[in-house]
Amino acid sequence: MNIEDYFESDRFFNSLYPLKNIFIENETYTNVHLIEYLVDISIKYSILFGGKHNFSTNGLDEFMENVTNYIFSMDLKNIISLKDNYDLKEYVSKLYADELLKKLKLTRDRLSDENLMMGLCSYVVRNLKGKDYIFHAFNSAIYDSIKEYGINPNMKFTSQQEIDMINNIFEKYGITNIFGWQKLNCENKVSYSMTSSFSYSYGVRSPEWFSEFTGDSFPFNQKDEYKKEAFVEGDYEAAKNNLLVLMNKKQFSSEDVNSVLDFFDKNWKIYANKVPILAVIPGADLGDTLVEDYSKYLLNDAYYKGNLERIIDVCLENYAIDGQTTDVIDTSNAIFIKLPKYSELIKKVTLQSLLSVENDIGKEDDVIDYNERVRGLH
């Protein structure tokens, strides 16, 4: 299976099985960042073991199952960020290293060989640092446009004029930034990232300005009054109610309420409940000389010398995360990776949990115990 379809496959959903109860118990915000982390390390795995400008899913299932089982064993309540957790980073780097050694049929005692370490280090640097990838996560509603015209600041499904008109209505009632930072980041610009680390959250909230407008922006700042994740969850009634509650508080005129709701309905039909997609666009290679120089730099440092895990870890670090440009980003050589729709992923993982319980029913002596366990899933 290619990476383009992997995250919508049963292979990916099955790898999430150890986290089923965590997904059920977590809030949407927490779940999105958990999925985001798993998507990120999977893409990096695919890049590391894919060779030059290729992506591989060979061995990815086992890798993911190891990671999700490890996360299940962690005390997540005391962890602020998975991607910055030292123990998890160390564990994942070891998995990458073990897989690399396995594919090359090497044992760890060979890592004392300086020439071998130079070859391994160069491979890791070339694949994780030596490819100048651009990542852009977006709503599948604009897939055909991006494929044909590139990531183009001049191609808009919703005009800036319409957005400005609605923004002016809210500002009339003292409400600013109803569309978040849309005016600053999106007008005549497109955004991109140099890492896949935040791709999933960007994708499920795309377009960001509409996610902000339907509940996620600062004006919706009372969690007990608003459902901030309405757009991510594809919840039309909650998104509409967010706007109605806010407009009622500020005593919008009936004319302005109708204008806002017309705009909301029109754009909900365009953007809501779509699949997020990640465009991965390869840029120029770092080149053999720079790869060799950076590899030598790492191997001459006592902290990295002979330690494949630490070399992999530093090459996985994320720098220059976000950027904007007024230029068109060419997508003619991009690969397009379909990411899972949030509501569908949660439903499938929960259903998988339910089916697992149902498969065990024949082993249970007490049907009441089975019913209790099923109720516990909801």
Side-chain angles (χ1 to χ4, degrees):
M1 174 178 290
N2 57 38
I3 193 66
E4 289 94 323
D5 301 311
Y6 178 76
F7 297 107
E8 286 196 316
S9 72
D10 287 339
R11 285 174 56 181
F12 178 67
F13 291 125
N14 289 341
S15 74
L16 303 182
Y17 182 71
L19 304 178
K20 60 187 183 297
N21 290 330
I22 293 173
F23 281 124
I24 292 167
E25 294 164 7
N26 276 347
E27 294 182 349
T28 293
Y29 175 85
T30 306
N31 280 339
V32 165
H33 287 284
L34 175 53
I35 299 164
E36 177 175 78
Y37 173 75
L38 297 171
V39 167
D40 175 46
I41 62 170
S42 298
I43 289 172
K44 286 171 178 171
Y45 176 101
S46 184
I47 291 172
L48 178 60
F49 297 113
K52 189 176 178 64
H53 295 318
N54 292 311
F55 292 75
S56 173
T57 60
N58 293 332
L60 184 51
D61 300 340
E62 183 180 356
F63 170 80
M64 284 292 294
E65 286 167 11
N66 286 330
V67 174
T68 52
N69 275 298
Y70 187 86
I71 291 174
F72 174 74
S73 72
M74 299 170 69
D75 181 8
L76 296 179
K77 292 179 182 177
N78 296 317
I79 294 175
I80 298 173
S81 169
L82 278 177
K83 59 173 64 75
D84 296 320
N85 180 263
Y86 177 82
D87 291 334
L88 183 57
K89 287 174 68 177
E90 188 176 59
Y91 177 75
V92 170
S93 293
K94 184 179 184 304
L95 288 180
Y96 284 127
D98 287 344
E99 185 67 17
L100 182 56
L101 293 173
K102 178 182 173 183
K103 287 181 184 298
L104 296 173
K105 298 181 180 178
L106 295 171
T107 54
R108 285 190 171 271
D109 60 296
R110 296 285 308 279
L111 297 182
S112 58
D113 184 325
E114 292 187 2
N115 290 329
L116 178 62
M117 273 303 296
M118 182 63 186
L120 290 171
C121 186
S122 296
Y123 176 86
V124 171
V125 170
R126 178 172 285 106
N127 283 278
L128 294 180
K129 284 292 187 189
K131 297 179 179 180
D132 195 16
Y133 287 111
I134 289 175
F135 299 89
H136 178 80
F138 61 93
N139 189 300
S140 60
I142 59 176
Y143 170 71
D144 289 338
S145 174
I146 283 181
K147 192 154 188 187
E148 184 172 356
Y149 302 108
I151 304 168
N152 191 327
N154 302 311
M155 301 295 295
K156 302 290 184 184
F157 278 57
T158 306
S159 72
Q160 187 65 46
Q161 184 179 3
E162 288 179 275
I163 293 172
D164 288 344
M165 182 189 74
I166 299 300
N167 187 61
N168 290 340
I169 291 175
F170 279 88
E171 288 190 342
K172 186 166 68 174
Y173 296 92
I175 301 171
T176 57
N177 296 327
I178 191 67
F179 293 107
W181 300 107
Q182 191 275 340
K183 193 76 173 172
L184 178 65
N185 292 336
C186 302
E187 188 173 16
N188 301 318
K189 296 177 187 174
V190 290
S191 298
Y192 63 90
S193 181
M194 301 305 293
T195 173
S196 59
S197 293
F198 300 93
S199 296
Y200 188 70
S201 60
Y202 287 167
V204 294
R205 295 179 70 244
S206 175
E208 184 179 276
W209 61 263
F210 192 66
S211 176
E212 297 276 321
F213 170 70
T214 52
D216 208 17
S217 63
F218 180 75
F220 305 98
N221 62 353
Q222 298 292 330
K223 287 193 73 174
D224 56 341
E225 290 185 275
Y226 303 103
K227 186 173 183 178
K228 296 181 73 67
E229 306 86 0
F231 178 68
V232 172
E233 294 182 9
D235 190 335
Y236 172 85
E237 294 300 333
K240 184 176 182 178
N241 186 63
N242 286 340
L243 289 164
L244 287 171
V245 170
L246 182 60
M247 291 189 291
N248 183 56
K249 268 188 175 185
K250 296 296 183 176
Q251 298 181 322
F252 276 42
S253 70
S254 57
E255 182 182 355
D256 287 339
V257 168
N258 289 333
S259 295
V260 170
L261 292 182
D262 285 346
F263 175 86
F264 163 72
D265 279 328
K266 173 186 173 182
N267 287 282
W268 186 269
K269 289 173 184 174
I270 296 173
Y271 302 116
N273 291 304
K274 299 296 193 298
V275 174
I277 295 178
L278 176 64
V280 184
I281 303 131
D285 284 355
L286 192 60
D288 291 341
T289 301
L290 290 177
V291 167
E292 185 176 347
D293 288 347
Y294 187 60
S295 300
K296 286 179 179 177
Y297 163 76
L298 290 177
L299 294 176
N300 286 329
D301 188 306
Y303 181 77
Y304 297 108
K305 188 173 184 178
N307 194 311
L308 185 56
E309 284 84 358
R310 290 177 178 175
I311 290 169
I312 290 173
D313 185 58
V314 74
C315 289
L316 290 171
E317 287 293 334
N318 304 308
Y319 305 104
I321 291 172
D322 289 320
Q324 284 89 36
T325 180
T326 56
D327 296 328
V328 177
I329 299 175
D330 182 19
T331 57
S332 58
N333 63 344
I335 70 162
F336 294 95
I337 301 173
K338 288 177 279 187
L339 302 178
K341 188 163 68 173
Y342 174 76
S343 58
E344 197 169 293
L345 181 147
I346 296 301
K347 187 186 299 181
K348 282 193 174 183
V349 173
T350 305
L351 177 61
Q352 186 181 44
S353 174
L354 178 60
L355 290 175
S356 176
V357 174
E358 289 175 339
N359 288 336
D360 287 342
I361 183 62
K363 303 173 186 176
E364 299 290 341
D365 295 326
D366 192 344
V367 175
I368 295 175
D369 179 57
Y370 163 73
N371 290 333
E372 287 296 322
R373 287 192 294 154
V374 171
R375 275 197 290 274
L377 297 173
H378 299 288

